[in-house]
């Protein structure tokens, strides 16, 4: 009996090591394009294997059932505006096939948010997530402690953090393009949460320049795509197929 239990433990541990190595490997590998999606349907597997890089909550986002709760938490003194909220709900509908219900009744502290601040917001403000209820939390901060030149980032497998000050800094010479750039940035981060990686395809939303422009001076008002390109749509269709 002891030998059997020992063999079982060795087998389980070996399987975990194998899966973990695969998860950390090439994102375009057969494992990460098929098996990872299947495992990502289960919360316990996402927790055990750490399937939080650019999301992996694909089953909840793409499957039939309840609409997605789009929870927008804005810093005091900021507002994304009704047009952006309408746009974001439509993007979710277009690319997941699920309706989005928008909640915009909460505020975050002003100033620059730390990682601890964002964690606190995530723990306190996710009030509409429930059993079988997919969600997307958007923290619209005045600013946050960012890496390099990024203007936004994903947070775990359910969130997006946007910096109002950085978005405005990048578009200050083309203020008329702010709304489009805000949408473009949201869609870029949504793409990550749906499973898309960065690409260097010209004119594509997942180009890293959208998320991390090298400087405000490179923004010309022309790179404000607000829809996924054909290359990205093919990737999304493959993710949907693997998730169902």
């Amino acid at each position: 009996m002891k030998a059997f239990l020992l063999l079982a433990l060795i087998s389980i541990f070996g399987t975990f090591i194998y899966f973990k190595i695969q998860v950390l490997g090439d994102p375009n590998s057969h494992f990460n394009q098929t098996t990872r999606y299947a495992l990502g349907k289960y919360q316990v597997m996402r927790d055990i294997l750490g399937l939080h890089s650019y999301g992996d909550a694909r089953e909840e986002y793409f499957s039939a059932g309840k609409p997605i709760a789009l929870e927008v938490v804005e810093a005091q003194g900021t507002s994304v505006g009704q047009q952006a909220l309408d746009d974001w709900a439509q993007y979710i509908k277009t690319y997941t096939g699920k309706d989005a219900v928008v909640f915009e009744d909460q505020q975050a502290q002003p100033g620059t948010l730390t990682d601890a601040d964002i964690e606190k917001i995530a723990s306190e403000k996710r009030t509409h997530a429930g059993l079988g209820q997919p969600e997307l939390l958007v923290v619209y901060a005045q600013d946050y402690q960012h890496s390099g030149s990024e203007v936004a980032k994903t947070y775990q497998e359910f969130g997006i953090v946007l910096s109002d000050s950085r978005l405005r800094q990048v578009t200050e010479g083309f203020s008329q393009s702010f709304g489009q750039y805000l949408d473009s940035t949201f869609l870029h981060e949504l793409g990550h949460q749906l499973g898309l990686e960065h690409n260097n395809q010209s004119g594509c939303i997942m180009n890293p320049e959208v998320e991390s422009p090298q400087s405000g001076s490179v923004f010309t008002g022309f790179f404000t795509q607000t829809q996924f390109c054909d290359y990205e749509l093919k990737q999304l269709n493959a993710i949907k197929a693997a998730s169902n």
Side-chain angles (χ1 to χ4, degrees):
M1 186 63 178
K2 291 183 178 179
F4 173 77
L5 290 176
L6 179 60
L7 287 174
L9 288 174
I10 292 174
S11 177
I12 292 171
F13 186 69
T15 301
F16 168 79
I17 294 296
Y18 170 76
F19 280 171
K20 193 65 177 178
I21 290 174
Q22 295 300 314
V23 165
L24 297 174
D26 182 0
N28 296 313
S29 69
H30 178 75
F31 179 93
N32 279 320
Q33 292 299 313
T34 56
T35 307
R36 179 179 182 133
Y37 297 156
L39 294 174
K41 294 180 180 181
Y42 306 101
Q43 182 67 50
V44 64
M45 296 307 296
R46 295 204 297 271
D47 291 339
I48 290 174
L49 296 175
L51 301 179
H52 303 308
S53 176
Y54 297 140
D56 285 296
R58 300 181 178 88
E59 195 271 341
E60 290 94 333
Y61 288 145
F62 291 126
S63 64
K66 295 181 180 180
I68 295 174
L70 176 58
E71 300 188 89
V72 181
V73 180
E74 299 160 314
Q76 297 174 25
T78 69
S79 174
V80 300
Q82 189 59 49
Q83 183 61 58
L85 294 176
D86 292 342
D87 290 346
W88 297 357
Q90 184 56 55
Y91 293 143
I92 290 173
K93 173 70 172 179
T94 298
Y95 296 113
T96 69
K98 297 173 71 71
D99 290 325
V101 180
V102 180
F103 300 95
E104 191 202 10
D105 56 353
Q106 300 166 322
Q107 289 189 321
Q109 67 191 62
T112 301
L113 300 182
T114 65
D115 290 343
D117 292 330
I118 295 171
E119 182 177 354
K120 183 178 181 182
I121 290 171
S123 65
E124 294 180 351
K125 303 296 188 179
R126 295 168 62 199
T127 58
H128 297 92
L131 185 62
Q133 175 74 68
E135 64 167 330
L136 181 66
L137 172 71
V138 179
V139 179
Y140 191 70
Q142 283 190 339
D143 200 5
Y144 66 91
Q145 292 181 344
H146 52 80
S147 174
S149 60
E150 70 181 18
V151 298
K153 66 178 180 179
T154 56
Y155 179 77
Q156 295 190 31
E157 61 177 2
F158 55 79
I160 292 172
V161 183
L162 300 164
S163 169
D164 178 75
S165 64
R166 285 286 296 133
L167 289 164
R168 294 188 185 281
Q169 178 183 350
V170 170
T171 59
E172 62 183 353
F174 302 86
S175 58
Q176 74 280 3
S177 297
F178 175 81
Q180 281 186 309
Y181 188 52
L182 175 60
D183 280 359
S184 184
T185 305
F186 169 84
L187 194 54
H188 179 102
E189 302 307 330
L190 176 65
H192 282 321
Q193 291 294 35
L194 297 182
L196 297 180
E197 301 279 357
H198 284 152
N199 67 64
N200 292 315
Q201 301 293 316
S202 177
C204 286
I205 284 287
M206 301 311 295
N207 188 301
E209 273 289 302
V210 173
E211 179 181 79
S212 298
Q214 295 306 302
S215 70
S217 62
V218 304
F219 184 81
T220 64
F222 294 107
F223 194 81
T224 52
Q225 286 78 357
T226 54
Q227 59 184 350
F228 289 121
C229 65
D230 289 342
Y231 176 82
E232 293 158 346
L233 288 175
K234 290 178 181 178
Q235 290 181 311
L236 275 178
N237 288 333
I239 291 171
K240 290 179 184 179
S243 300
N244 296 323

